[in-house]
Amino acid sequence: MIASPVFAGKRYAVLGLARSGMTAAESLLASGALVTAWDTREEPRRALEGRVELADPALIDLTGYAGVVVSPGVPLNTHPIAAHAAGFGVPVIGDIELFAIARPSLPAHRVVGITGTNGKSTTTALVHHILQSAALPVRMGGNIGLPVLGQNPLNPGGVYVLELSSYQIDLTHSLACEVAALLNLTPDHLDRYDGFTGYAASKARLFAMQRPDQVAVFGTSDPKTQSIAQREAQLRGGQRVRSVDGSDLAALQDQWPSLQGPHNLQNAAVAVAIAEALGLTAMQWRPALASFRGLPHRMERVAEAGGVMYINDSKATNPASAAPALAAFPPSPERRVHWIVGGLPKGDELDECEPYFGNVAAAYTIGDAGPRFADLLASYTKVTRSEMMCDAIRQAKEAARPGDVVLLSPACASFDQFRDYEARGDSFRQIVHALIEADRADGTGKTHSGDPC
């Protein structure tokens, strides 16, 4: 893992011991820091017992502490830790800020920071793949699920590619990315911010931390992102600010099997701009786009059977994220999307998806949002009130024809029926494969009584 002498002998508190918090605690301990740690769960506390002081940072005297490292899941707008730490003049930071503090002690490297409402994980993984294909030393971390402090330090000349959520940016104060990118902005996480403006301002802080000579890359799909791009161009000059829409890459997109749809054209355009800012050429990034295999749960091609493609887009946890998936499969010549939609809703509407309802051959509604979405979609397409995902997959499979797509893109959180979006996507994948195998076993092409539903 990454450790640094800059932390040696200093005292830090760590609040929240999930993946990033536990890694931060271990990194600080390996660096020789004195650590106080806390989580409401007993299991992670037990894992650190005897090596740290176990106490809630929101309840103790923080005099002399260098910082309180807070999990991104802790809501700073409501949790008492922010005011408590401020009373002692102690900064509230995250694991990304620890990485930023440690950077001067690491071998010479560059950092790419990627944020936005949708497409962050795909673009982060794509940039990582492009750099890796070009034989550059590279590590991927951040919100993609890999704590950066848990990575082994890169050799000189390496690049750290970080996916950054707004929550992580809120806890970061000195990360000057050599290249920073904002893909898009649509309303999200508004329970944590003063409206959409506050959410956008959080994302924009990534660029405020950069130096004027560092590069900023922006998508062009929404006015708020364009507004931030224009402001940055005025502050630092146009040469260091790039806005890209992918129009110059559109003719190549049919060569990228895992990057279909208008949203992935935008993701690819940002990734290419980042790669070029790091000095790569078209000879290096072009074959990498074609060989990219995508991420689990994000437009993941699970299977193809009987001419029907099965797509796992479980990571689409809001309508804005589901809309591009629907857009990726226009009629050819008939409507061909069998859309599995629903879960724990983040709102009562599907407004962002509505422009693409004409692509939907049938909808299969599930979860808490199912009844509301069924009523909403009934005037646009055939709707089946499936309730459970297993039933939805079976029903969609039976209705689909060669050339159709069975698409799980729920536009909702997963927590009504699943632990998280990954568990939801894993379940989709398992059920699809089980149903297909059941067909092959009896040779009928139809689901038999032994299917998993």
Side-chain angles (χ1 to χ4, degrees), residues 208-379:
M209 288 185 278
Q210 286 187 290
R211 299 189 306 269
D213 63 327
Q214 294 176 323
V215 176
V217 178
F218 296 91
T220 61
S221 62
D222 63 274
K224 186 68 78 172
T225 298
Q226 293 179 47
S227 174
I228 295 171
Q230 290 166 4
R231 186 177 70 212
E232 289 301 317
Q234 292 170 355
L235 289 173
R236 65 177 90 182
Q239 289 185 335
R240 295 293 177 180
V241 177
R242 290 197 60 189
S243 293
V244 295
D245 62 7
S247 57
D248 57 330
L249 301 175
L252 302 174
Q253 192 176 16
D254 61 358
Q255 302 171 22
W256 314 332
S258 295
L259 291 167
Q260 295 301 294
H263 62 307
N264 276 324
L265 183 61
Q266 176 78 90
N267 294 341
V270 170
V272 166
I274 291 169
E276 291 182 341
L278 293 171
L280 273 64
T281 67
M283 293 290 290
Q284 293 169 300
W285 58 252
R286 185 172 293 188
L289 293 176
S291 62
F292 180 63
R293 289 293 170 261
L295 290 170
H297 315 298
R298 196 52 168 142
M299 293 294 284
E300 174 193 2
R301 295 191 179 203
V302 166
E304 186 169 346
V308 177
M309 189 184 307
Y310 295 82
I311 302 291
N312 168 22
D313 194 41
S314 182
K315 202 172 190 293
T317 58
N318 57 57
S321 187
L326 297 177
F329 303 104
S332 179
E334 304 296 328
R335 299 181 180 200
R336 56 191 178 125
V337 176
H338 294 261
W339 184 23
I340 300 174
V341 58
L344 188 66
K346 294 185 176 180
D348 291 333
E349 305 299 331
L350 290 168
D351 290 353
E352 292 94 340
C353 298
E354 186 173 352
Y356 309 107
F357 286 168
N359 297 352
V360 179
Y364 307 81
T365 58
I366 61 174
D368 287 1
R372 167 63 181 164
F373 286 179
D375 291 342
L376 190 155
L377 291 166
S379 59

Side-chain angles (χ1 to χ4, degrees), residues 97 121 130 219 224-225 312 362 429:
E97 178 63 13
S121 296
I130 292 171
K224 186 68 78 172
T225 298
N312 168 22
R429 189 189 303 115

Side-chain angles (χ1 to χ4, degrees), residues 72 86 96 172 381 427:
I96 302 297
T172 305
T381 189
S427 179

Side-chain angles (χ1 to χ4, degrees), residues 41-52:
R41 298 168 299 149
E42 182 179 354
E43 183 179 355
R45 297 201 307 266
R46 192 182 305 123
L48 292 174
E49 195 169 4
R51 296 188 292 147
V52 305

Side-chain angles (χ1 to χ4, degrees), residues 59-429:
L59 301 176
I60 64 173
D61 187 331
L62 294 174
T63 301
Y65 278 73
V68 178
V69 183
V70 176
S71 164
V74 175
L76 295 183
N77 60 329
T78 58
H79 197 281
I81 188 59
H84 184 68
F88 290 90
V90 176
V92 175
I93 60 176
D95 68 315
I96 302 297
E97 178 63 13
L98 288 179
F99 170 72
I101 295 169
R103 287 187 66 187
S105 64
L106 298 176
H109 63 274
R110 291 176 289 178
V111 172
V112 173
I114 299 169
T115 194
T117 304
N118 297 306
K120 298 187 297 297
S121 296
T122 295
T123 306
T124 300
L126 179 56
V127 171
H128 177 267
H129 176 72
I130 292 171
L131 300 183
Q132 195 172 53
S133 299
L136 267 68
V138 61
R139 295 275 189 270
M140 179 170 60
N143 193 60
I144 202 164
L146 300 169
V148 64
L149 294 175
Q151 308 295 310
N152 290 326
L154 286 166
N155 292 326
V159 181
Y160 295 90
V161 183
L162 306 180
E163 178 190 341
L164 300 172
S165 69
S166 59
Y167 299 166
Q168 289 171 314
I169 296 171
D170 290 341
L171 295 165
T172 305
H173 309 293
S174 63
L175 181 71
C177 298
E178 277 71 20
V179 186
L182 174 61
L183 293 161
N184 49 58
L185 284 169
T186 57
D188 201 10
H189 304 306
L190 299 188
D191 58 325
R192 293 273 289 258
Y193 296 100
D194 184 15
F196 183 38
T197 299
Y199 170 66
S202 172
K203 297 285 194 180
R205 287 191 59 254
L206 181 62
F207 305 97
M209 288 185 278
Q210 286 187 290
R211 299 189 306 269
D213 63 327
Q214 294 176 323
V215 176
V217 178
F218 296 91
T220 61
S221 62
D222 63 274
K224 186 68 78 172
T225 298
Q226 293 179 47
S227 174
I228 295 171
Q230 290 166 4
R231 186 177 70 212
E232 289 301 317
Q234 292 170 355
L235 289 173
R236 65 177 90 182
Q239 289 185 335
R240 295 293 177 180
V241 177
R242 290 197 60 189
S243 293
V244 295
D245 62 7
S247 57
D248 57 330
L249 301 175
L252 302 174
Q253 192 176 16
D254 61 358
Q255 302 171 22
W256 314 332
S258 295
L259 291 167
Q260 295 301 294
H263 62 307
N264 276 324
L265 183 61
Q266 176 78 90
N267 294 341
V270 170
V272 166
I274 291 169
E276 291 182 341
L278 293 171
L280 273 64
T281 67
M283 293 290 290
Q284 293 169 300
W285 58 252
R286 185 172 293 188
L289 293 176
S291 62
F292 180 63
R293 289 293 170 261
L295 290 170
H297 315 298
R298 196 52 168 142
M299 293 294 284
E300 174 193 2
R301 295 191 179 203
V302 166
E304 186 169 346
V308 177
M309 189 184 307
Y310 295 82
I311 302 291
N312 168 22
D313 194 41
S314 182
K315 202 172 190 293
T317 58
N318 57 57
S321 187
L326 297 177
F329 303 104
S332 179
E334 304 296 328
R335 299 181 180 200
R336 56 191 178 125
V337 176
H338 294 261
W339 184 23
I340 300 174
V341 58
L344 188 66
K346 294 185 176 180
D348 291 333
E349 305 299 331
L350 290 168
D351 290 353
E352 292 94 340
C353 298
E354 186 173 352
Y356 309 107
F357 286 168
N359 297 352
V360 179
Y364 307 81
T365 58
I366 61 174
D368 287 1
R372 167 63 181 164
F373 286 179
D375 291 342
L376 190 155
L377 291 166
S379 59
Y380 296 94
T381 189
K382 179 182 177 182
V383 176
T384 300
R385 297 172 183 255
S386 304
E387 297 188 9
M388 304 301 293
M389 189 169 68
C390 191
D391 293 324
I393 298 169
R394 176 176 50 77
Q395 292 156 354
K397 175 181 173 296
E398 291 176 348
R401 300 291 178 261
D404 287 356
V405 176
V406 174
L407 172 67
L408 171 68
S409 191
C412 288
S414 58
F415 306 122
D416 55 340
Q417 295 181 346
F418 298 93
R419 180 186 69 250
D420 51 30
Y421 77 83
E422 293 170 321
R424 178 170 62 188
D426 289 342
S427 179
F428 176 82
R429 189 189 303 115

